[in-house]
Amino acid sequence: MKTNLPRRHILRGLGVSLALPGFQSLQTGFAAPKESTPPRRLLCLGNHLGFHPPSFFPKQTGTDYQTSPTLQNIDQHRKDFTVLSHLDHDVGGGHNGVEAFLSGIRKEESSGFPERNISLDQIAAEHSGSATRFPSINAGLGEGTDMCWTRTGVRIPPINNPARLFEALFVQDDGFSRKQQRQRLGEQASILDALNESAKSLHRDLNHTDRDKLDQYLTSIRDVEQRLQMSEIWLDKPKPNPGIDPITDEERQHIEELPLFFDLITLALQTDSTRIATFEIPMGFTVSDLDKVDLGYHGLSHHSKGEGKLAQLKVVEDYIFTQVNRLLNGLQEAQLLDHTLFIMGSGMSDASTHSNKDLPVLLAGGGIKHKGHLDSPHDHHRVPLCNLWLSALQWFGLKRERFGKSTGTFSKLNFS
Amino acid sequence: MFRLAAIAFFGFSSISQATLPKAFLAEHCHQCHGPNKQKADRRFDTLATSIENFEQQELWQDIVDQLNLGEMPPKDKPQPSQTERLDAIKALTNGITTSREKFKGVSQHTTLRRLNKVEYRRTIGDLLGLDVKAWDPSEDFPSEVTHQGFDNNGDQLVTSGLLLKKYLSAAEAAIQRSTHFEEKPESKNYNQKSPFYFQGKESKNLPKLFLTGRFRFVPETPYTDLYGRHYRGGHLGFLPLYKQGGVPHSGQYTIRVRAAAVNRTHTYPNGIITSRNGDPLVLELASVDRRGSVTSAGNVRKMVSLSTHELTETEPKWIEWTGYIEKGYEPEVRFRNGTISAKNLVFKLGRLAQNRPEIKPFLHLKPGNERGHGMLRAYQGPKLRIWEIQVEGPHLSSWPPEGHQLLYNDLTPPDLNKKTIHERLTHFAQKAFRRPPTKGEIKPILALVSGKIDSGTDPLKALQLGFQTILCAPGFLYLKEDEGNLNPNALASRLSYFLWSSMPDDELLQLARSKTLNQPEILRAQVDRMLAHPKAKRFVGNFIRVWLELDNIGRMPPSPDFRNYYRDDLGNAMRIETEHFFSHLLDQNLPLEEFLTANFSFLNRELAKHYGISGIEGTHFRKVTLPNSTRGGILGHGSFLTASANGVDTSPVIRGIYVMDKLLDYTPPPPPDEVPEIEPDVRGAITLRQQLIKHRADPSCAQCHDKFDPAGFALENYDAIGAWRDRYPDKLPVDASGKLDNGKTFDNASNFRQLLATQEKPFTRCLTKKLLTYALGRELNSNDRPTIDFICEEMAQPKKGLQDLIQSIITSETFLKN
C-alpha cells in the first residue's frame, strides 16, 4: 500500500509558500488587510462588425476635436476618454481577424508564441483572479465574437443569458447543496490524482512528440486542480446582496438584454464579485428589433456605400453608443469609473471592406489623463496595438515587459 | 514505382549525383528567391548541395513541383531551355528519392491524437449504447482547432483544463444515464384531444404555449387549427407529458396525430401568405426540452426534429411515427411550412385583405383578442387541423439496456465488493481503451476506488467514480499509434475512426486479437463490410463537412434577408443533397469524374424550386436527372456554393480559391501584405469583377490571380446561397466568362464545367490527399508522395471508383504504419 501523500494534500499544505503559477495571491486574497485604495478593474467591450470609420473617427486630433457623429453619443464624457486612431494588430483575415482584438495574435499563428493567443482579460484574470469569486466574467449576446482566449488557446464562450449571470453572482446556494458541492469537489480531486498517476505511467511508453501531447494533458490536470481549490475556498463565502430584483429566465430581445447585462456587469464590479469583465456584440446582433432598421446586421455592414444601408447602420451604431453612454454614467455613479479601465472597439474597422487595419479603439476611465483624439503614425513606425494593451496590463498591476506582439509600452498615454 | 524512377535515372547517366543544380538556380531563381528578395518566403541561394534535413527535402520538393508544372520561372521572365529544365528536374528528383530513404518516416507520424468532438460523442454513444442526438455529451465542449479545414489533426488538437473539466461532467452524466437498476418501465398511453390551449383555472402555471392569447383561442370545434410556422398559433404542446416533466424514460415511443390539411389552395392576393400556394401542408413532430428554461412561448432549451408528414386531404387521417425520445423531453406538433406566423398573418390580412368579406367585419377592431381570434376563425387560407394526439411508450425490447450490461453485467448493488468491482472496472477499461489497459494505467484507478470503499463510500458510487475516471483517462481520450507498423488494435481503431468516426466493433477487435486484420484480403473484406454498415453515414457526413468546410455556413449564416433559405430549411436540404450524392458515388463505386460532371443530383421539392427545377413534389430526397446545363456535379451544389460565399454576397476570389483548393489540389499562397482591400462600391456602375480585373492588370498580381479568379468568375451566376441569377441585385448583368491559366476560354459555368471535366487527374489527386489527410489525422508532406502517386496511378486504370479509392488508401503502406 502506498504511503506517500496524495498530491492534493501536498498542494494544499504548501499553498502558503508554494508560488502556484498565476495564483500567488491565493492566500493573500482574503487574509490581507482591507485595501486602502480601491482595486483596479478592467472592462472590455468588443463589437464584431467594427464601426463605420468616417462616422467614428473625429477629423481633428487633440483634446479640442469636434466630436464625430458616432462619438456624439458619449460626448458628455469626453474628458474621461481617449479615442485612438491608426492602431491595429497587423493581421488580416476579415471576419477571421476579429478574434485577435484583445490578443494581437490570430489562432492560426498562435502555436508560435509562448503564451499562444491569450487575451488581455485572461492575463489580468490570472493575476487578480483569486481575490474575487470569479476570476473574470465573460458575457455577450448570442454567440459572441471569439474575443476571449485562454493560455492554452481555448476560446471562452460568453454567458449570454442574463438570468444565469444574475444567479451566478447573487443567488446563494443553500447549505445542503454546499455540502454536496464540497463532496463533489473532493471526488473530482481524487479522480484527478488517479488520472495523473495513470497518465504518468503511459508517459514512459511514448515517443518524444507524443510525450509533449500528453504533457498538455498533465498540465490540464494541474489546471483543473487549481480551479477546484479555488472553488472550495469560495464555497462558504456568502454572495453579495444585489440590491435589485432577480432577473427571471425568459425570452428577451437583444436590445433588452444588452442594458441588462451592462447593469449586471456594473453590479459585479461594484460588489467586487470580479475585477475583470468582458462583453461581446456578435455579428448576429438582431438589429432589426430597432426602429427604422429592417435588415440584418451583417447585411447592413456590407453597405457598399449605399445610402439606405448607411442610414440604418448609423441607427445601430448610435444605439450601441447610447448604451455605452449609459454604462459610463452608471460606472460614474457607482464611483467606479476612476478605477476601471474601459476598453472598447473591434477587431475589424470597416466591415464593408473587411479591413482589420486602423481599428476603432476607445479607452475610458482608469483615472488616467485622457487626450481626446490621439493619432499614431500612419505609414512608417506604426505602433502595435499590443503596446497599448501592455500599458493597460501594467496599469492593472502586472509587472510585464511584453504582451502579444508588443514592442514596448504605449508612450503617448500616461498610465500611472 | 521506385523501380520506374530508377530506370529513368539510369537512362540519363550524365547525372550521377543527386546534387542541387546550383547554376540553374542561380540563373533562373535567385533574383526573386535569393539574398535580395525572398518571394513567398522562399530562399534558395543558401541551400546545401545535397539534402541535409527534412525541411530541405520539403523545399526541394517544392522547387521541382513548380518546375514540373511549368509555373516557375514566371511566364514574363526568361525561360530555361527544355534540356536545362529537364536536367534540373532530374537532379532534384533524384536528390529527393535518395533523401526519402534517409528521412524515412520523418513527419509521417500522427501525434498522439485526441478524439475530437464528433468522435467523442459517437464513441460515448457506441460504447454505452446511448442515443446521443438529444443528449449530446460534447455539446458545450470548446470548438476544435482546424487545420486546412480538418478538425482531427493530432498535432493541432489541444487539451486544456477547461476541456478536462467538461470531460469530467460529461463522463459523470454518461454513466448516470447508462445505469438502470430499476424494473423495466411499463409502456404507457397518453392522450389529448383538442383543445390544446387553456384559460382560467385550468391554465394556472402553464407555460405560455398552452395558454390562450391574441392568436390562440379555445375553439368551439373538436379540432384546433394551426396557422403558421412560429410559436404563436403554430405549435401545439402535449399537456399530459408536460405535466409529467416529459417522457419518464428514454426509449422508443410511438406518436400518432389525427390531422388534416384545410384550404391547401387559397385565393388570397400575393404578399399575405409566405408559404407557396397549393403545396401539401407539412406536419412536423418534434421533441423539446422545456426544463429549467422559460415562461414565454416558444423558447425551449433544445429541440430535436423527429419526423415530417405531408398532408393533402381535408378528411382527417392518422399519421404515425415511432422513434427515440430522450427522457424529460416532450412532443410538440408544428405546422412546418405554414406562413411565417399567425401574428404576421393577422397583421397582413388587416393591411392587404381589407376587401375580403370574411375579413371586413374585424377591421375596425383594435389589436386584441377579438380581432385576432375573429380573423383567424374567418381566415380561408391554409390551416393544419389537429383533432387528437396520442403517445405510447417506451417500447423496450431488452432490459436492462446494453450500456448497463456492459457496466454491471448481472450484478446488483448488494453484489458489489472490491473483487467484483475490480473485475467490472478492468472489463470496462478494456472496452473503453479499445485495447487491454497496461498495469500502470489501471492500477491507480483501482486504488482510487478501493480507497473510497475503505473510507466508507457506497460501493456503487465508488464503482461509478471508477467508470468516470476511465472515461477521462488518456487511454480513452487519445488514439495511441506509436511509431512503425500499427499494432493490430491501433489499426482497428484507425480504421473505425476513419470509416465510422467511432470505436471499433467486436468483429474488428476479434480480428485484431487474432492478428489477422492487416492481411490484405481480410482488410479489404472489412472495409467492404464497414462501408455497407449504417455507421458509414457518419463518414460521409463528417468528411464532406471538413472537405468542403461546411462549418463556414454556421459561422457566417446566410443573412435573414434570404427569407426562403430559412422558410424552406435549405441549409439542411443542401447538406442532405451532398451527402446523398457522395453516398451514391460510394455505394455504386462510380468513377471520380462524376463529382465534376454528374448530370444528376438528389433533391426534394424545396431544393428543386431553389434550383429552378419544377415538377418535383414531396419533402423527401430522390435522384433527379438535372434538366439543363446550369447545374451538374458538385459545382452546382448549394452546399458548395454557400460555403464559398459569406452569407451576404459572393466574391470571385474567395470562390475561385475554394474551387482550386477543394477540387484541383491547388492552394494559393496568402496575399502579399501591401495589397489594398477591394472596396465594394454600389454608387458607381461597376461590378466586383470589373474592379478585380483592374487590380489584376499588374503582372505580379496576375501571376496568382489568373489561376483562381477564372473559377470564381465562372460561378458568379450563383448567388450567396447558390440560386441562379442573370443579374446582380443592383441590376448589372453577370459576366461569367473567363480564361483558364492554360489559355482555354469559357463563356459560362456550363462551359467551365466541361473544361473542368478534363481535369480528372488533378481532382483524383486532390480527393486522394483530402481523404488521406482525414484518415491519418495529420498533414501530408513530401515523404508521402510515393503513396499518393501510387494511388493516383491505380485510380487512373479504367472502371475504378470511389470505393476503390478508399480501399487503396487503407491498404497503402502509409495507412498501415505510423
Side-chain angles (χ1 to χ4, degrees):
Chain A
M1 167 133 137
K2 288 202 188 269
T3 49
N4 40 336
L5 285 173
R7 287 173 63 250
R8 190 169 28 100
H9 284 145
I10 295 177
L11 279 175
R12 226 188 257 169
L14 294 179
V16 183
S17 49
L18 182 68
L20 299 175
F23 294 114
Q24 287 104 319
S25 45
L26 191 63
Q27 280 305 101
T28 63
F30 41 91
K34 187 108 170 58
E35 299 169 44
S36 44
T37 49
R40 291 184 164 175
R41 279 93 160 177
L42 187 61
L43 175 50
C44 305
L45 171 58
N47 186 33
H48 186 87
L49 288 169
F51 295 108
H52 185 53
S55 315
F56 178 83
F57 292 106
K59 302 250 182 312
Q60 304 101 1
T61 56
T63 44
D64 290 327
Y65 66 93
Q66 192 189 2
T67 188
S68 67
T70 305
L71 292 178
Q72 169 111 38
N73 296 290
I74 55 171
D75 198 44
Q76 72 179 98
H77 292 283
R78 66 185 289 146
K79 293 214 179 56
D80 286 318
F81 70 80
T82 308
V83 55
L84 302 112
S85 45
H86 292 102
L87 294 176
D88 57 55
H89 292 303
D90 197 27
V91 295
H95 288 287
N96 296 331
V98 175
E99 68 186 27
F101 180 52
L102 290 184
S103 64
I105 296 167
R106 280 190 58 185
K107 179 80 197 131
E108 62 178 20
E109 49 177 351
S110 65
S111 53
F113 290 85
E115 295 182 305
R116 289 179 176 261
N117 61 331
I118 186 170
S119 52
L120 143 77
D121 61 303
Q122 290 306 300
I123 296 246
E126 281 179 350
H127 171 77
S128 79
S130 53
T132 55
R133 185 180 292 270
F134 299 101
S136 71
I137 288 180
N138 308 91
L141 302 173
E143 298 135 23
T145 168
D146 289 351
M147 193 165 78
C148 303
W149 299 83
T150 68
R151 185 170 285 284
T152 49
V154 173
R155 181 242 167 172
I156 301 179
I159 303 174
N160 58 10
N161 182 335
R164 251 186 262 128
L165 181 54
F166 181 89
E167 220 178 302
L169 288 170
F170 302 120
V171 176
Q172 189 76 24
D173 301 320
D174 59 66
F176 175 67
S177 96
R178 263 182 287 148
K179 178 161 175 251
Q180 278 194 319
Q181 282 183 53
R182 196 187 307 278
Q183 191 183 344
R184 213 159 162 265
L185 289 174
E187 284 166 4
Q188 291 198 318
S190 322
I191 292 179
L192 291 171
D193 276 340
L195 287 176
N196 195 60
E197 291 305 309
S198 181
K200 282 203 326 225
S201 93
L202 193 61
H203 204 258
R204 293 188 268 278
D205 258 345
L206 300 174
N207 64 51
H208 168 64
T209 19
D210 285 357
R211 279 193 189 178
D212 285 347
K213 237 342 138 176
L214 196 62
D215 282 342
Q216 234 181 47
Y217 176 85
L218 290 167
T219 309
S220 306
I221 292 183
R222 282 196 284 284
D223 187 1
V224 181
E225 276 173 343
Q226 285 171 350
R227 288 163 191 252
L228 290 183
Q229 278 193 290
M230 291 231 304
S231 302
E232 211 175 336
I233 290 170
W234 279 100
L235 257 186
D236 283 322
K237 298 196 81 192
K239 289 188 183 175
N241 184 347
I244 58 168
D245 287 332
I247 296 181
T248 50
D249 188 3
E250 55 182 74
E251 187 181 358
R252 290 185 181 87
Q253 298 178 324
H254 283 173
I255 58 176
E256 290 173 73
E257 286 186 335
L258 194 140
L260 210 47
F261 270 117
F262 281 4
D263 288 345
L264 281 173
I265 286 174
T266 307
L267 276 174
L269 294 176
Q270 204 175 358
T271 56
D272 212 25
S273 304
T274 188
R275 292 184 188 161
I276 294 140
T278 64
F279 192 77
E280 304 177 29
I281 303 178
M283 175 158 56
F285 177 30
T286 39
V287 298
S288 50
D289 289 332
L290 290 168
D291 273 336
K292 302 204 186 85
V293 178
D294 55 24
L295 293 174
Y297 195 5
H298 188 194
L300 274 188
S301 69
H302 280 249
H303 51 78
S304 301
K305 301 195 180 159
E307 248 184 57
K309 282 193 179 176
L310 281 175
Q312 294 197 23
L313 190 57
K314 178 169 165 46
V315 172
V316 174
E317 294 187 352
D318 282 344
Y319 167 77
I320 294 176
F321 276 84
T322 308
Q323 293 302 318
V324 170
N325 191 48
R326 188 175 159 279
L327 173 64
L328 292 171
N329 287 346
L331 289 171
Q332 225 169 23
E333 269 171 42
Q335 299 186 315
L336 286 171
L337 191 55
D338 286 338
H339 313 288
T340 305
L341 191 62
F342 175 64
I343 291 176
M344 170 179 186
S346 171
M348 189 144 60
S349 51
D350 186 345
S352 191
T353 62
H354 294 106
S355 173
N356 306 108
K357 291 189 170 35
D358 300 334
L359 301 175
V361 180
L362 193 121
L363 229 66
I368 64 181
K369 193 163 185 313
H370 284 283
K371 289 206 175 157
H373 178 196
L374 185 53
D375 199 11
S376 291
H378 298 201
D379 297 310
H380 306 291
H381 310 296
R382 281 187 70 108
V383 179
L385 180 52
C386 281
N387 288 14
L388 185 63
W389 292 168
L390 177 60
S391 292
L393 285 172
Q394 288 180 350
W395 171 90
F396 191 73
L398 279 120
K399 295 192 177 14
R400 289 177 72 97
E401 301 299 315
R402 322 197 55 200
F403 173 74
K405 294 179 183 157
S406 66
T407 56
T409 53
F410 193 79
S411 50
K412 289 206 186 155
L413 264 183
N414 188 346
F415 271 86
S416 46
Chain B
M1 206 221 54
F2 186 89
R3 261 177 274 129
L4 285 171
I7 290 170
F9 175 90
F10 286 117
F12 295 87
S13 53
S14 52
I15 312 276
S16 52
Q17 300 289 347
T19 53
L20 187 74
K22 282 206 160 163
F24 179 92
L25 289 172
E27 187 184 339
H28 294 288
C29 314
H30 287 183
Q31 197 188 4
C32 298
H33 300 290
N36 298 329
K37 262 197 278 192
Q38 297 87 40
K39 282 201 159 180
D41 286 332
R42 281 159 176 75
R43 182 174 179 168
F44 305 148
D45 62 309
T46 49
L47 279 174
T49 327
S50 60
I51 298 178
E52 295 170 332
N53 58 44
F54 184 70
E55 285 68 41
Q56 287 182 10
Q57 180 181 299
E58 292 273 271
L59 194 51
W60 281 47
Q61 183 72 66
D62 213 356
I63 300 173
V64 79
D65 284 342
Q66 296 297 312
L67 289 175
N68 264 322
L69 286 169
E71 297 289 341
M72 286 287 149
K75 291 193 177 55
D76 59 334
K77 297 272 191 271
Q79 299 290 310
S81 73
Q82 192 61 342
T83 332
E84 284 179 320
R85 188 188 284 268
L86 284 176
D87 283 350
I89 290 174
K90 212 120 283 125
L92 290 163
T93 309
N94 293 336
I96 294 169
T97 312
T98 315
S99 97
R100 270 205 205 112
E101 282 306 306
K102 205 162 87 171
F103 296 117
K104 210 175 171 70
V106 171
S107 282
Q108 280 184 302
H109 310 302
T110 308
T111 311
L112 191 69
R113 184 178 130 198
R114 198 196 88 216
L115 301 184
N116 68 14
K117 268 176 90 155
V118 169
E119 293 163 343
Y120 178 88
R121 180 188 189 188
R122 289 294 179 196
T123 308
I124 293 275
D126 289 346
L127 178 65
L128 294 167
L130 295 172
D131 182 300
V132 286
K133 197 169 167 206
W135 174 72
D136 175 1
S138 69
E139 198 169 24
D140 64 349
F141 288 3
S143 359
E144 304 294 14
V145 180
T146 58
H147 186 72
Q148 299 167 350
F150 291 91
D151 61 0
N152 67 343
N153 182 309
D155 207 41
Q156 296 286 316
L157 288 174
V158 166
T159 306
S160 61
L162 182 67
L163 182 57
L164 184 57
K165 214 160 187 295
K166 295 196 191 284
Y167 281 145
L168 286 167
S169 307
E172 192 182 0
I175 299 298
Q176 286 305 320
R177 286 187 127 74
S178 308
T179 301
H180 291 286
F181 285 108
E182 69 272 16
E183 289 291 307
K184 177 176 178 176
E186 299 259 307
S187 175
K188 290 210 172 72
N189 280 299
Y190 308 88
N191 222 308
Q192 183 178 5
K193 291 198 169 92
S194 174
F196 299 97
Y197 309 125
F198 304 93
Q199 55 200 7
K201 264 198 309 194
E202 291 183 307
S203 68
K204 213 158 177 247
N205 291 330
L206 292 179
K208 246 190 182 158
L209 177 63
F210 294 98
L211 306 178
T212 55
R214 265 201 290 160
F215 310 102
R216 294 189 296 271
F217 51 89
V218 180
E220 312 76 39
T221 53
Y223 51 76
T224 299
D225 284 340
L226 295 177
Y227 301 92
R229 291 204 299 284
H230 287 180
Y231 261 90
R232 293 192 180 89
H235 291 213
L236 292 179
F238 187 64
L239 194 64
L241 282 175
Y242 167 75
K243 285 196 166 145
Q244 289 211 278
V247 300
H249 296 275
S250 298
Q252 298 284 308
Y253 286 83
T254 302
I255 303 181
R256 291 184 200 90
V257 182
R258 189 155 179 263
V262 176
N263 300 332
R264 256 180 65 198
T265 330
H266 65 83
T267 53
Y268 285 96
N270 275 343
I272 299 179
I273 300 168
T274 61
S275 50
R276 270 186 290 264
N277 201 344
D279 271 2
L281 305 191
V282 175
L283 187 159
E284 183 185 19
L285 295 175
S287 69
V288 302
D289 179 4
R290 230 183 285 281
R291 284 164 299 176
S293 187
V294 283
T295 52
S296 75
N299 198 349
V300 299
R301 193 191 74 83
K302 186 163 177 182
M303 179 207 88
V304 176
S305 177
L306 301 173
S307 67
T308 53
H309 306 262
E310 292 201 328
L311 291 159
T312 50
E313 309 303 312
T314 34
E315 275 302 298
K317 73 174 202 192
W318 285 97
I319 57 114
E320 180 176 309
W321 167 87
T322 300
Y324 180 87
I325 299 184
E326 174 74 21
K327 174 176 170 178
Y329 276 60
E330 308 160 30
E332 274 190 11
V333 171
R334 320 171 142 197
F335 187 3
R336 180 77 186 81
N337 67 341
T339 189
I340 192 171
S341 72
K343 176 177 179 183
N344 182 276
L345 177 64
V346 168
F347 176 68
K348 291 271 182 58
L349 287 172
R351 281 260 299 266
L352 305 170
Q354 288 160 343
N355 293 323
R356 301 266 310 202
E358 74 275 11
I359 300 298
K360 262 202 173 123
F362 304 101
L363 289 173
H364 68 283
L365 295 170
K366 281 227 192 73
N369 286 2
E370 226 189 312
R371 182 186 170 99
H373 299 180
M375 284 211 198
L376 290 174
R377 277 191 173 95
Y379 170 63
Q380 288 171 8
K383 310 188 235 206
L384 188 63
R385 183 158 289 180
I386 311 288
W387 276 263
E388 188 176 346
I389 302 175
Q390 295 175 347
V391 178
E392 187 190 338
H395 313 302
L396 296 161
S397 47
S398 65
W399 189 262
E402 50 174 273
H404 180 98
Q405 302 261 18
L406 169 65
L407 295 175
Y408 309 103
N409 203 7
D410 292 325
L411 300 173
T412 59
D415 301 324
L416 296 175
N417 53 49
K418 277 196 193 165
K419 177 166 175 292
T420 53
I421 284 177
H422 280 210
E423 276 166 12
R424 294 321 308 158
L425 287 173
T426 314
H427 178 76
F428 183 63
Q430 167 132 4
K431 253 313 186 70
F433 290 4
R434 306 171 288 273
R435 56 173 169 77
T438 65
K439 254 177 121 198
E441 280 180 300
I442 191 79
K443 227 166 135 213
I445 303 176
L446 298 178
L448 160 71
V449 175
S450 295
K452 286 287 174 194
I453 297 177
D454 286 339
S455 58
T457 307
D458 172 55
L460 176 59
K461 177 80 206 215
L463 175 58
Q464 289 177 337
L465 283 177
F467 287 143
Q468 192 185 347
T469 311
I470 287 170
L471 289 179
C472 295
F476 174 72
L477 296 171
Y478 292 88
L479 296 179
K480 181 168 177 284
E481 297 178 328
D482 299 321
E483 276 178 34
N485 290 321
L486 287 179
N487 73 57
N489 283 311
L491 175 59
S493 284
R494 186 181 265 195
L495 189 53
S496 72
Y497 279 97
F498 178 23
L499 298 181
W500 287 346
S501 301
S502 184
M503 56 187 274
D505 64 358
D506 287 334
E507 188 172 331
L508 280 173
L509 288 172
Q510 172 57 27
L511 289 168
R513 267 196 296 278
S514 66
K515 299 206 193 330
T516 53
L517 183 57
N518 60 344
Q519 288 169 11
E521 329 77 58
I522 295 197
L523 190 54
R524 282 181 184 275
Q526 284 303 304
V527 173
D528 283 337
R529 175 179 78 92
M530 293 172 83
L531 287 178
H533 194 288
K535 287 193 210 175
K537 283 202 195 62
R538 302 168 184 178
F539 158 61
V540 174
N542 207 31
F543 177 70
I544 290 175
R545 179 180 66 85
V546 297
W547 172 32
L548 300 179
E549 287 189 87
L550 296 186
D551 288 341
N552 279 351
I553 302 180
R555 269 177 238 123
M556 266 193 285
S559 160
D561 305 329
F562 284 113
R563 295 238 166 97
N564 57 331
Y565 183 85
Y566 294 99
R567 179 194 68 195
D568 292 338
D569 199 20
L570 288 181
N572 223 12
M574 290 178 186
R575 187 183 43 84
I576 295 176
E577 172 192 18
T578 307
E579 285 175 5
H580 276 257
F581 183 75
F582 191 100
S583 288
H584 180 75
L585 299 199
L586 187 59
D587 291 336
Q588 304 296 311
N589 196 22
L590 294 180
L592 300 185
E593 68 177 351
E594 292 282 359
F595 275 102
L596 303 175
T597 58
N599 69 342
F600 62 86
S601 192
F602 292 81
L603 309 175
N604 68 359
R605 180 204 307 113
E606 282 74 30
L607 196 54
K609 289 207 190 229
H610 182 61
Y611 291 167
I613 298 171
S614 54
I616 310 286
E617 289 306 305
T619 54
H620 60 280
F621 283 81
R622 85 302 313 261
K623 189 165 180 247
V624 173
T625 307
L626 299 166
N628 58 42
S629 56
T630 56
R631 302 255 170 200
I634 201 157
L635 280 171
H637 281 213
S639 60
F640 189 90
L641 296 163
T642 309
S644 57
N646 67 15
V648 176
D649 49 32
T650 62
S651 153
V653 174
I654 305 281
R655 264 222 186 117
I657 292 176
Y658 184 84
V659 170
M660 302 309 290
D661 179 49
K662 304 308 174 202
L663 303 181
L664 296 176
D665 193 28
Y666 172 72
T667 312
D673 292 326
E674 325 82 57
V675 171
E677 290 97 17
I678 298 239
E679 174 145 17
D681 187 339
V682 291
R683 298 170 309 171
I686 187 168
T687 62
L688 190 57
R689 181 197 175 117
Q690 287 161 334
Q691 287 187 316
L692 264 173
I693 287 183
K694 274 198 283 184
H695 284 243
R696 287 170 46 209
D698 181 336
S700 65
C701 299
Q703 195 179 348
C704 287
H705 274 267
D706 280 348
K707 293 202 224 316
F708 46 79
D709 283 0
F713 291 145
L715 298 177
E716 272 291 277
N717 279 113
Y718 302 101
D719 70 11
I721 57 171
W724 181 270
R725 62 183 171 190
D726 290 306
R727 289 183 179 275
Y728 292 105
D730 57 15
K731 306 300 182 236
L732 292 172
V734 173
D735 174 5
S737 65
K739 183 166 92 167
L740 292 185
D741 211 27
N742 59 16
K744 297 219 174 77
T745 58
F746 55 87
D747 294 321
N748 54 38
S750 141
N751 285 167
F752 177 73
R753 241 195 345 273
Q754 282 163 350
L755 287 178
L756 211 58
T758 62
Q759 298 295 301
E760 201 190 314
K761 285 208 164 47
F763 176 69
T764 300
R765 194 171 193 89
C766 189
L767 189 59
T768 302
K769 287 166 76 172
K770 301 278 182 200
L771 281 166
L772 197 52
T773 305
Y774 179 79
L776 297 173
R778 66 164 170 86
E779 218 182 315
L780 303 175
N781 57 57
S782 56
N783 270 346
D784 296 309
R785 279 308 172 90
T787 297
I788 298 171
D789 290 340
F790 180 69
I791 294 175
C792 289
E793 275 168 36
E794 286 226 311
M795 291 304 296
Q797 292 166 34
K799 298 227 179 106
K800 289 290 183 176
L802 187 51
Q803 268 186 40
D804 298 313
L805 178 54
I806 296 186
Q807 288 280 9
S808 264
I809 287 173
I810 288 175
T811 50
S812 74
E813 207 188 308
T814 307
F815 187 83
L816 297 170
K817 276 174 105 125
N818 193 31

